Amino acid sequence: MGAYILRRLLLVIPTLLGIMIINFTLVQFVPGGPIEQIIAQMEGGGDVFESIAGGGAEVSQGGGDSDYIGARGLPPEFIAELEREFGFDKPPLERFLTMMWNYMRFDFGESYFRSISVIDLVLEKMPVSITLGLWSTLLAYVISIPLGIRKAVRDGSSFDTWTSGAIIVGYAIPGFLFAILLIVLFAGGSYWRIFPLRGLTSDNWESLSLIGKVLDYFWHIALPVLASTISAFATLTLLTKNSFLDEIKKQYVMTARAKGLSERKVLYGHVFRNAMLIVISGFPALFIGVFFGGSLIIETLFSLDGLGRLGFEAAVARDYPVVFGTLFAFSLLGLIVGIITDLTYVLIDPRIDFERRG
């Protein structure tokens, strides 16, 4: 197993490098870099993209030459100084190599527009992402696993039929649409005002007791967590059901029943461990997916300032240190989580040997 882990770790390097090269190359062909954004705002255009749409003029790529739309009337020396400040006076290859060398030392630089380091900026937004990722994943597992087991045991019954219909409806409803429905019904939209509409805590949170803080926290996160859970809940329930159905039909289950074991002991003493292999081992990947793939729309609807909004705002503003810094960190974490998922398979079922397969 040690050799397999070593191979996977070594594979992380070219994979991560390929991700960064592709995204860095694509950015070079995207109009409206950070310098254009600044100049357009200084010229009163508000946004470089509005200037592009209005004037139809061409904007240079990535760095900044004298053909910027916002450069009309600005001294060339000022433009050159901006280029030096942002590092666009250097060729793309040199910028990329410098960036990767810094990232290898976990130096992600500072945001172009917020005067704060990328790491501090991510840590500032982390509580929202932890909240949505952790509780959405746990809620999905707590509901989906018992429901999936019951559906497998009662396969073909009326209970299985109507719950399958409900699951399909839940899977078909986009998370943001479900969020709007929750707001309309329970957050003062048109009916009841039971839950708050914004933030993770109340304004008087600091003055509350420990129990009061806990209750206030869960009161605020109830609706956004439900909205984030709906799609994962449907997928996980069907996965659990299918895994149990597949195991229930195997020979060892019939043998256990023939020995006189109770149905509960057969189900949870023999079937559960094998059937839950795929479900439990996928927990790290599912958590990371929800954690870093936070919905921008859900965060916006519930006025939550998390990583989803951070990524969107950084991309729109062409805040490249934030864009590439978070891309590098999250890609690296995602690749490591893939290795952890494989190790979880082996931990749950020692019969699995990835090294022998290789």
Side-chain angles (χ1 to χ4, degrees), residues 68 152 159 236 246 292 321 331:
Y68 290 156
F159 171 82
L236 196 56
D246 186 54
F292 293 118
S331 298

Side-chain angles (χ1 to χ4, degrees), residues 222-340:
L223 297 187
V225 166
L226 282 176
S228 301
T229 305
I230 184 167
S231 61
F233 151 75
T235 303
L236 196 56
T237 300
L238 294 178
L239 178 61
T240 303
K241 175 191 174 182
N242 293 334
S243 297
F244 267 79
L245 281 178
D246 186 54
E247 291 295 324
I248 287 174
K249 298 175 182 178
K250 291 186 177 179
Q251 182 64 42
Y252 74 90
V253 176
M254 290 185 280
T255 302
R257 287 171 175 165
K259 290 181 178 179
L261 296 179
S262 65
E263 191 65 22
R264 184 177 183 84
K265 190 169 184 61
V266 171
L267 189 63
Y268 291 99
H270 292 77
V271 176
F272 186 84
R273 180 174 181 177
N274 295 327
M276 293 306 296
L277 174 62
I278 297 177
V279 178
I280 296 177
S281 61
F283 179 86
L286 178 62
F287 172 68
I288 293 297
V290 177
F291 183 73
F292 293 118
S295 173
L296 164 67
I297 301 179
I298 290 179
E299 290 182 8
T300 302
L301 288 173
F302 292 100
S303 300
L304 299 174
D305 193 9
L307 293 176
R309 289 183 63 181
L310 173 64
F312 174 76
E313 292 171 358
V316 171
R318 301 298 191 263
D319 197 344
Y320 292 150
V322 177
V323 172
F324 288 117
T326 53
L327 175 65
F328 179 89
F330 298 160
S331 298
L332 177 61
L333 187 57
L335 293 171
I336 294 176
V337 166
I339 300 175
I340 294 175

Side-chain angles (χ1 to χ4, degrees), residues 70-89:
R72 299 167 185 164
L74 291 176
E77 296 79 9
F78 178 76
I79 307 299
E81 180 60 31
L82 280 179
E83 290 181 354
R84 283 192 295 271
E85 182 178 348
F86 287 99
F88 290 118
D89 57 328

Side-chain angles (χ1 to χ4, degrees), residues 122-123 125-138 200 217 221 225 287 290-292 294 299 305-307:
V122 170
L123 292 177
K125 313 297 182 183
M126 196 70 79
V128 171
S129 296
I130 290 177
T131 293
L132 294 179
L134 179 62
W135 294 115
S136 296
T137 304
L138 290 178
L200 290 179
Y217 172 74
I221 70 173
V225 166
F287 172 68
V290 177
F291 183 73
F292 293 118
E299 290 182 8
D305 193 9
L307 293 176

Side-chain angles (χ1 to χ4, degrees), residues 118-276:
V118 174
I119 293 179
D120 291 339
L121 189 58
V122 170
L123 292 177
E124 179 184 312
K125 313 297 182 183
M126 196 70 79
V128 171
S129 296
I130 290 177
T131 293
L132 294 179
L134 179 62
W135 294 115
S136 296
T137 304
L138 290 178
L139 184 62
Y141 270 81
V142 167
I143 296 177
S144 300
I145 291 177
L147 180 59
I149 294 174
R150 186 166 181 82
K151 284 175 62 62
V153 173
R154 302 184 60 179
D155 182 43
S157 66
S158 58
F159 171 82
D160 180 45
T161 301
W162 72 261
T163 52
S164 294
I167 289 171
I168 292 173
V169 171
Y171 184 77
I173 298 177
F176 74 90
L177 188 60
F178 186 58
I180 294 174
L181 177 64
L182 293 176
I183 291 173
V184 170
L185 292 178
F186 304 113
S190 298
Y191 295 91
W192 305 281
R193 190 177 183 84
I194 301 175
F195 296 96
L197 187 56
R198 57 187 305 117
L200 290 179
T201 56
S202 300
D203 294 336
N204 64 335
W205 191 79
E206 292 294 340
S207 63
L208 298 175
S209 64
L210 178 60
I211 296 179
K213 289 180 178 179
V214 173
L215 293 177
D216 182 73
Y217 172 74
F218 283 106
W219 183 47
H220 278 77
I221 70 173
L223 297 187
V225 166
L226 282 176
S228 301
T229 305
I230 184 167
S231 61
F233 151 75
T235 303
L236 196 56
T237 300
L238 294 178
L239 178 61
T240 303
K241 175 191 174 182
N242 293 334
S243 297
F244 267 79
L245 281 178
D246 186 54
E247 291 295 324
I248 287 174
K249 298 175 182 178
K250 291 186 177 179
Q251 182 64 42
Y252 74 90
V253 176
M254 290 185 280
T255 302
R257 287 171 175 165
K259 290 181 178 179
L261 296 179
S262 65
E263 191 65 22
R264 184 177 183 84
K265 190 169 184 61
V266 171
L267 189 63
Y268 291 99
H270 292 77
V271 176
F272 186 84
R273 180 174 181 177
N274 295 327
M276 293 306 296

